[in-house]
Amino acid sequence: GALVLVLSKTQHALVGICLIAGLGLPLVRRRMGLGSAGAAFAGGLLLLAMAASFVIVPGYYRVMGSYNVIFYEILPHSKDVGADLADLHLDDSYRPYIGTHSFDPASGMQHREFIEAFSKRTSNVGLLGYYASHPAITLRVLKNALGQAGRQRAAMGNFDASSGLPDYAESSAFSLWSGAKRSLFEGKGGRYLWASFALFALCGFAVIRDAKQGTGIAGTGLLAGLLAAVALVEMLASGLADVLDVTRHYYLFGALWDCLLMLLVLSAIGRAQRD
């Protein structure tokens, strides 16, 4: 299951770090029935899968997300385009592409020569360095992404064309919880971000508390901590590595968010029953 997740899309590859860390925990190994050698073998496979996830993708795909972030999100909002271009290791010849995304006919990503030259100048690692040196921009990009993710499901509709309903019509059946989250977080990226950090902090507290006191449902604190780490990686990768189709990219994060909340509730119920 871990291999399938890591290899499913480059976006999910970094989750492997959390899974490998989990294999290093004795309690996790005991519950999985793995010895140290088995866990080391599994961790090695995951590490290879992570590397393969980045290597096997086409060259244009490796920089497509970076292109979208740079030209469709960062530079259109820049107060000093020249300085930001320099910080991104680009020059003024890239100015005409500001405001375009990789699927735009005017995009440089439509030309192989551009992709080859652009790939030599930037990468996801280079973009990470830019984010690290521009925390205010990083926060703005992340909040904007989470504001879109607050919708919970992509605006693609869920009826067959034969239904006769308008394009993109959506059913509201079985959507009480996602509808509540949407009303709280859609277009409110800052609120979604701080609510997520609060949830992660509660999971961290659950790990510490269960390590000291135990819990009524064994292992929920540790599981919450591991899943919180996975959710954090998904939140950052989905919001900072690309800026197109963000709501869909955040689907796994939204599911993990719900699982974490349920785990905390289960943990509280377990303690109440124990007491």
Side-chain angles (χ1 to χ4, degrees), residues 1-9 19 42-50:
L3 287 172
V4 169
L5 175 61
V6 168
L7 288 170
S8 63
K9 194 174 184 181
L19 302 176
L45 282 180
L46 279 172
L47 197 61
L48 287 174
M50 289 174 61

Side-chain angles (χ1 to χ4, degrees), residues 14-166:
L14 292 177
V15 168
I17 296 173
C18 306
L19 302 176
I20 292 171
L23 288 170
L25 299 174
L27 178 59
V28 172
R29 293 200 301 271
R30 286 199 302 270
R31 292 190 178 281
M32 294 180 67
L34 280 176
S36 297
F41 179 73
L45 282 180
L46 279 172
L47 197 61
L48 287 174
M50 289 174 61
S53 185
F54 289 104
V55 171
I56 63 178
V57 296
Y60 75 90
Y61 191 84
R62 294 175 194 162
V63 294
M64 185 171 67
S66 297
Y67 183 96
N68 294 332
V69 172
I70 292 170
F71 295 105
Y72 200 64
E73 177 62 37
I74 292 176
L75 293 180
H77 297 93
S78 174
K79 296 179 180 179
D80 188 343
V81 173
D84 280 325
L85 280 169
D87 290 344
L88 290 161
H89 307 292
L90 304 174
D91 55 42
D92 282 347
S93 66
Y94 287 86
R95 282 180 180 264
Y97 301 109
I98 296 175
T100 67
H101 55 74
S102 55
F103 300 104
D104 192 317
S107 163
M109 293 297 289
Q110 304 299 320
H111 308 285
R112 180 177 298 177
E113 298 80 7
F114 175 92
I115 295 173
E116 291 176 355
F118 184 64
S119 299
K120 293 176 181 178
R121 287 175 171 266
T122 191
S123 65
N124 287 322
V125 175
L127 187 59
L128 181 62
Y130 176 86
Y131 280 139
S133 60
H134 297 77
I137 293 175
T138 304
L139 183 61
R140 179 183 59 76
V141 173
L142 188 57
K143 287 169 66 175
N144 182 52
L146 283 165
Q148 298 176 60
R151 196 181 192 282
Q152 302 302 313
R153 55 182 178 181
M156 300 175 68
N158 48 23
F159 286 96
D160 187 85
S162 63
S163 67
L165 293 170

Side-chain angles (χ1 to χ4, degrees), residues 192-203:
Y192 206 177
L193 177 64
W194 300 122
S196 299
F197 281 149
L199 186 63
F200 298 157
L202 286 172
C203 291

